[in-house]
Amino acid sequence: MTKGAPTDNKYVLDWIEEVVSLCKPDNVIWITGEESQLEELRKEACSTGELEKLNEEKLPGCYLHRSDPRDVARVESRTFICTPTKEEAGPTNNWEDPDAMYEKLNKLYDGCMKGRDMYIIPFSMSIIDSPFAKFGIEVTDSIYVVVSMAIMTRIGNQVLEALGDSPQYTKGLHSKAKLDPEGRYIVHFPQDNTIMSINSGYGGNVLLGKKCLALRIASYLGHNEGWMAEHMLILGIENPQGEVKYVAAAFPSACGKTNLAMLIPPKHYRDAGWKTYCVGDDIAWIRIGDDGRLWACNPENGFFGVAPGTNAKSNLNALESTKKNSIFTNVVHDLDDNTVWWEGLNDTPPKNAVDWQGRPWTADSGEKGAHPNSRFTAPAVNCPCISTEFNTAKGVPLSAIIFGGRRAKTAPLVYQSRSWDHGVFVGSIMASETTAAATGQVGVVRRDPMAMLPFCGYHMGDYWQHWIDMGKKVKNPPKIFNVNWFRTDDEGHFIWPGFGDNLRVLEWILKRSDETIDADEAPIGYVPKPEDIDIEGLTIGEDVVRDLVTIDRDLWKEEMAGIREYYKQFGDKLPEELKKALEETEAAL
Ligand code: SAT
Ligand code: MN
């Protein structure tokens, strides 16, 4: 079966032999990275209905895909970190003994590709010739996965060439199998550099380069190798003097990372000469540079963004990115002009359409046409504001790290930590009201430290310690902040305008990073003097800004009591520095 393989790396060939004899596919197809091969596969997927070709004039090279209705988001309850001991995975990950898990999975994979083709996708996270790149091979029985990986990562023979005869690659085995939710598993074996995903065909469960490799496996590797894999966007901001500074920001899934990553400055900022550049919208790999600063790069090659709510006003750059060579999943299909639509795209829903499940649909039905977690998969090169540094190995130096979440009342618009260690505390207490990006209840507060709760490949206490240790090693660490765009008034309306206007807050953050502006002391850190947030052109006044940066001590006392409780599960793995920061904050309150 490995005859004619485009590599003679024995670590690759032996493993492929193994998975072929386990999964028993009819054919084995090596993905070369050539456009002609991908085009053939797209045609084949169109012939079976797995993909639908969209209007070539309006959306050239674009396709629609619908996933199984029971398979529309990451499933955290079925995601496992199988380290040799439970202790290594920690209290926030699902764990099972690796041998027991391999045994269970091998039964599920046995013969799962009978009657199907097996595709072997060599892929690279980061540009292939980067010294920081991590290579993987994803084996899959899904053409949707092949063509999506071709957008989201660098794929093909060049990866095998760069890998040479090295054993250093991540093994990723994916099968749709029967798409059975009961048999669905997304399993990581960090010590074996192996990922196994079965019975799903959706997004983060199956595009194994993304959350599985670039966060879960990479966070484990980063801990061992002295770098960090983070769930962060990376944004470049150019001021009117022509200086470009970079920030990285962590928010839980579907809290607007893609919007912030591609933000368009408000008009009077644009007129003054402010510009923004997107380096990444979801994942940052962060290292210490020779200059003693932290440098971040985006290991991905595309965007897997939430479609609903994306429009010319909320994120024109994302919308533009999806205009060619993109895949839309679980959106509305406009049958009149063979294009796509989703809630929040515009006020003119199609008249003749089918919904995300392929059922005839009109907006009057009162039901949503697109799934709330419907997505676009778009090449990063399509983005009008993609950074010139996107395709560089060393990435960009960070001036600030920003944490954030969706909090209706507690968190102020922005605050700055007192130090690196205090900043790690701020990241560790992140919480957000849940969205549709993961299955489960929507709208409940859940703690999500550094937005890594579902993505940390080892013990969260060790992960925090790694942050503390990194801070000791960087000579010029970026300053650490927390933002909350989602405070609401008594009627539940958002107070802060958000989107492009978030640059007004970023400007303050950059000035604080440069130490060119004062701030007010609050029990939780530094908050802006209300007059220091530029509100020119907004309908809200300075008094509203004052409210937005004021904290409610009673709510925060409750919050700290919650943190104390939350921290208990980490036992003696909780770093001293975090314990101390909690005590100091309680005292200050
Ligand atoms: O489905 S993904 O995990 O890739 C997207 C997300 O939840 O952020
Ligand atoms: Mn994400």
Side-chain angles (χ1 to χ4, degrees):
M1 276 283 191
T2 51
K3 249 206 305 181
T7 177
D8 36 55
N9 180 317
K10 77 176 174 60
Y11 304 100
V12 173
L13 297 181
D14 287 354
W15 178 61
I16 297 296
E17 290 282 3
E18 222 175 88
V19 295
V20 167
S21 64
L22 177 63
C23 302
K24 306 179 180 63
D26 285 7
N27 297 294
V28 173
I29 296 158
W30 291 78
I31 300 301
T32 62
E34 284 158 319
E35 180 47 35
S36 55
Q37 184 190 39
L38 293 171
E39 191 52 30
E40 281 307 309
L41 289 173
R42 289 185 203 107
K43 281 204 185 110
E44 188 184 327
C46 287
S47 74
T48 62
E50 188 177 352
L51 293 177
E52 288 179 57
K53 173 101 184 78
L54 294 167
N55 185 322
E56 182 59 23
E57 244 152 68
K58 293 190 173 160
L59 293 168
C62 290
Y63 294 82
L64 171 68
H65 171 76
R66 284 188 209 99
S67 70
D68 185 282
R70 302 165 305 169
D71 184 25
V72 293
R74 279 183 292 105
V75 268
E76 293 173 8
S77 61
R78 310 204 66 102
T79 300
F80 287 78
I81 303 291
C82 293
T83 42
T85 64
K86 183 166 169 43
E87 170 78 356
E88 287 160 273
T92 57
N93 282 313
N94 299 315
W95 177 86
E96 254 187 57
D97 172 70
D99 290 336
M101 185 55 102
Y102 276 126
E103 204 184 308
K104 174 156 43 182
L105 289 175
N106 284 343
K107 281 195 197 117
L108 289 172
Y109 280 97
D110 189 8
C112 66
M113 296 189 192
K114 272 186 195 152
R116 297 183 188 170
D117 292 342
M118 170 187 274
Y119 306 99
I120 301 170
I121 319 166
F123 67 94
S124 173
M125 301 314 292
S126 276
I127 53 173
I128 294 172
D129 52 12
S130 163
F132 308 134
K134 296 288 178 200
F135 301 140
I137 296 184
E138 176 161 358
V139 170
T140 180
D141 52 7
S142 157
I143 295 180
Y144 173 67
V145 168
V146 174
V147 295
S148 298
M149 286 293 283
I151 295 174
M152 295 304 297
T153 72
R154 284 92 176 164
I155 63 160
N157 289 347
Q158 306 163 59
V159 178
L160 292 173
E161 274 157 41
L163 179 64
D165 55 14
S166 160
Q168 299 295 332
Y169 73 97
T170 303
K171 301 179 176 97
L173 177 58
H174 165 248
S175 174
K176 293 182 285 190
K178 301 189 190 83
L179 292 178
D180 171 17
E182 300 303 316
R184 189 166 296 157
Y185 285 94
I186 299 93
V187 185
H188 309 70
F189 301 92
Q191 278 78 359
D192 300 343
N193 205 354
T194 296
I195 305 160
M196 295 176 81
S197 163
I198 189 160
N199 277 308
S200 172
Y202 190 82
N205 296 332
V206 301
L207 307 179
L208 300 185
K210 195 176 180 58
K211 309 293 188 181
C212 298
L213 195 170
L215 288 177
R216 297 194 190 97
I217 295 287
S219 63
Y220 168 85
L221 295 174
H223 182 231
N224 292 343
E225 298 169 3
W227 54 282
M228 304 157 93
E230 299 299 332
H231 191 200
M232 292 179 177
L233 66 95
I234 311 166
L235 169 68
I237 302 164
E238 182 174 336
N239 67 15
Q241 292 75 49
E243 299 159 336
V244 187
K245 304 235 165 83
Y246 296 91
V247 302
F251 302 92
S253 297
C255 282
K257 280 208 305 298
T258 305
N259 291 346
L260 189 64
M262 299 178 190
L263 144 167
I264 295 176
K267 182 165 184 325
H268 91 274
Y269 277 77
R270 283 201 306 276
D271 292 347
W274 289 82
K275 296 191 179 87
T276 49
Y277 306 101
C278 174
V279 182
D281 79 326
D282 195 39
I283 297 177
W285 284 0
I286 303 177
R287 285 160 208 281
I288 303 174
D290 299 333
D291 58 355
R293 301 183 70 187
L294 283 184
W295 288 70
C297 74
N298 169 13
E300 299 193 275
N301 202 24
F303 308 118
F304 187 63
V306 178
T310 303
N311 58 52
K313 193 166 162 275
S314 66
N315 196 340
L316 181 64
N317 286 319
L319 200 59
E320 288 300 314
S321 305
T322 65
K323 290 287 162 66
K324 59 180 186 203
N325 305 328
S326 297
I327 301 170
F328 300 91
T329 304
N330 294 343
V331 297
V332 174
H333 191 186
D334 180 340
L335 300 174
D336 281 335
D337 66 353
N338 191 21
T339 56
V340 289
W341 189 87
W342 48 78
E343 278 70 24
L345 174 63
N346 54 39
D347 296 332
T348 50
K351 298 257 150 35
N352 176 24
V354 291
D355 73 359
W356 67 276
Q357 298 190 59
R359 304 172 302 193
W361 174 87
T362 60
D364 325 318
S365 68
E367 279 186 40
K368 291 210 157 80
H371 188 276
N373 193 35
S374 56
R375 300 268 172 164
F376 53 80
T377 311
V381 290
N382 285 1
C383 180
C385 66
I386 194 76
S387 164
T388 52
E389 307 309 300
F390 168 71
N391 262 322
T392 62
K394 70 178 200 304
V396 297
L398 295 180
S399 295
I401 287 177
I402 303 170
F403 296 118
R406 230 172 237 276
R407 293 309 292 273
K409 298 286 171 217
T410 322
L413 178 62
V414 58
Y415 71 101
Q416 181 188 356
S417 68
R418 296 178 208 286
S419 64
W420 176 271
D421 288 354
H422 179 232
V424 178
F425 171 73
V426 169
S428 81
I429 67 168
M430 259 174 75
S432 194
E433 283 135 34
T434 50
T435 66
T439 50
Q441 219 183 328
V442 171
V444 296
V445 171
R446 85 159 183 177
R447 303 243 158 253
D448 189 354
M450 282 81 171
M452 283 290 278
L453 181 69
F455 307 120
C456 187
Y458 59 106
H459 195 297
M460 188 61 78
D462 290 330
Y463 166 80
W464 289 331
Q465 188 62 53
H466 184 46
W467 266 82
I468 301 279
D469 294 343
M470 288 293 289
K472 293 195 182 29
K473 286 189 224 153
V474 248
K475 269 197 242 67
N476 299 305
K479 305 273 195 299
I480 302 179
F481 299 81
N482 191 87
V483 298
N484 175 28
W485 318 130
F486 301 97
R487 264 218 202 176
T488 54
D489 62 19
D490 293 338
E491 276 96 58
H493 302 120
F494 294 122
I495 305 170
W496 179 250
F499 302 110
D501 289 310
N502 291 335
L503 183 60
R504 300 166 187 273
V505 175
L506 296 177
E507 184 189 7
W508 182 81
I509 286 176
L510 289 177
K511 283 185 180 151
R512 287 297 295 168
S513 301
D514 284 349
E515 300 178 1
T516 56
I517 196 172
D518 267 351
D520 285 334
E521 288 247 19
I524 59 170
Y526 303 108
V527 294
K529 295 181 181 298
E531 65 272 22
D532 287 338
I533 299 288
D534 182 340
I535 48 170
E536 190 188 320
L538 291 186
T539 53
I540 63 171
E542 212 175 285
D543 49 330
V544 175
V545 175
R546 178 169 295 110
D547 282 350
L548 281 170
V549 300
T550 302
I551 63 147
D552 179 327
R553 282 177 192 248
D554 290 334
L555 276 182
W556 272 89
K557 280 185 200 156
E558 259 172 56
E559 186 79 3
M560 288 304 111
I563 296 298
R564 198 162 263 285
E565 209 36 53
Y566 180 69
Y567 270 176
K568 277 189 189 152
Q569 64 185 306
F570 304 102
D572 55 11
K573 291 257 189 200
L574 180 72
E576 280 305 316
E577 289 82 351
L578 300 193
K579 231 183 276 172
K580 193 167 145 243
L582 172 61
E583 278 157 17
E584 283 170 2
T585 309
E586 284 173 330
L589 284 162

